């Protein structure tokens, strides 16, 4: 059982996490939700389309202008509080690697801390424990925040992913983070080249077999773009194909830009797998 905020999810229940970037320079939407009203409209639309989690980020993942902890908090804390006021039942996640930001957003109502940089600040897990918040434990290959991989190598990329994420997850539980609120993430593109991310996808069932719920952040990423030689705005089909494979292999949470399309893919895979009945069943019965 996965428990986040007020919600519980069964082992075969796929969960959509919608991305809301509070940055002026995000790689995908180029600041479309930097201002409050467009960002709140994005939350409303994502919830209507089937997102259970809203993932709020105040710093883009890639290199760029420095964003201090104070500025990151300014972009996220008040917005978390407003989302909590308007959408009391939605699960609020914040994408941050900084403990001081985690502290501020949890105090404002966040349910989940999405640590995409692999525990680079050990204090973030301690914050999650103090507030009873969930934690995403991600493999980033030892990369520092906001850096791109350069000639990174692994003897066995999935073995490294498992060692790191399971270690982070067990540490979080030992600190007091509720076990049912800890997720592991292979960290597609983080500290990896395209072949590493493809192999991590191909072997995702090895992560699922650990028993920890698996989160994947695939949406429009470079490994999709390089696999198909497509720019950022032409990666949806590749993203959805990767989503279908990940769902078949047992991933549970999907961090996405396109909620409605992802919902259809996950529902279709769940129906094929026998975990969901068809929405209608008329064929051959009339």
């Amino acid at each position: 059982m996965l428990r986040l905020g007020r919600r519980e999810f069964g082992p075969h229940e796929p969960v959509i996490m919608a991305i809301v970037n509070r940055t002026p320079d995000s790689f995908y939407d180029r600041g479309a939700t930097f201002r409050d009203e467009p960002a709140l409209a994005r939350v409303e639309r994502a919830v209507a389309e089937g997102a259970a989690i809203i993932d709020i980020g105040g710093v883009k993942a890639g290199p760029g202008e420095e964003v201090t902890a104070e500025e990151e908090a300014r972009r996220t804390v008040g917005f978390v509080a407003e989302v909590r006021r308007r959408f009391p039942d939605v699960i609020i996640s914040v994408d941050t690697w900084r403990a001081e930001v985690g502290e501020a957003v949890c105090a404002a109502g966040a349910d989940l801390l999405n640590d995409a940089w692999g525990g680079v600040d050990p204090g973030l897990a301690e914050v999650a424990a103090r507030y009873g918040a969930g934690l995403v434990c991600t493999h980033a290959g030892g990369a520092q925040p906001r850096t791109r991989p350069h000639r990174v190598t692994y003897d066995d990329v999935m073995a490294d992913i498992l060692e790191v994420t399971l270690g982070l997850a067990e540490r979080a539980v030992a600190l007091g983070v509720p076990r049912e609120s800890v997720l592991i993430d292979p960290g597609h593109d983080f500290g990896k080249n395209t072949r590493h991310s493809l192999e991590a996808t191909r072997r995702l069932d090895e992560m699922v077999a650990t028993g920890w719920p698996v989160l994947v952040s695939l949406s429009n990423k470079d490994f999709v773009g390089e696999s198909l030689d497509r720019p950022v705005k032409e990666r949806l089909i590749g993203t959805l194909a990767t989503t279908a494979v990940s769902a078949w292999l047992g991933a549970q949470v999907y961090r996405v830009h396109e909620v409605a399309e992802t919902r259809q893919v996950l529902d279709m895979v769940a129906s094929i797998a026998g975990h969901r009945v068809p929405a209608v069943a008329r064929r051959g019965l009339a």
Side-chain angles (χ1 to χ4, degrees), residues 164-201:
V164 170
T165 58
L166 297 184
L168 291 169
E170 292 293 353
R171 175 180 180 269
V173 171
L175 288 169
V177 180
R179 180 173 286 271
E180 64 273 17
S181 303
V182 175
L183 304 98
I184 59 174
D185 177 353
H188 288 81
D189 276 0
F190 281 63
K192 300 170 188 67
N193 62 31
T194 288
R195 288 182 175 85
H196 294 142
S197 292
L198 292 171
E199 183 172 350
T201 307

Side-chain angles (χ1 to χ4, degrees), residues 2-53:
L2 173 63
R3 182 178 291 113
L4 298 170
R6 301 182 181 183
R7 301 282 301 276
E8 292 184 350
F9 304 93
H12 298 298
E13 186 176 356
V15 182
I16 294 177
M17 170 190 273
I19 300 166
V20 179
N21 289 314
R22 304 309 317 282
T23 61
D25 53 357
S26 53
F27 89 99
Y28 183 71
D29 60 30
R30 303 298 181 187
T33 53
F34 185 46
R35 294 186 299 108
D36 286 352
E37 287 311 313
L40 288 166
R42 160 69 174 161
V43 173
E44 184 173 13
R45 183 171 65 253
V47 171
E49 291 177 345
I53 307 172

Side-chain angles (χ1 to χ4, degrees), residues 123-143:
L124 192 64
E126 298 169 11
V127 171
R130 281 199 301 277
Y131 283 88
L135 183 69
V136 180
C137 300
T138 307
H139 179 272

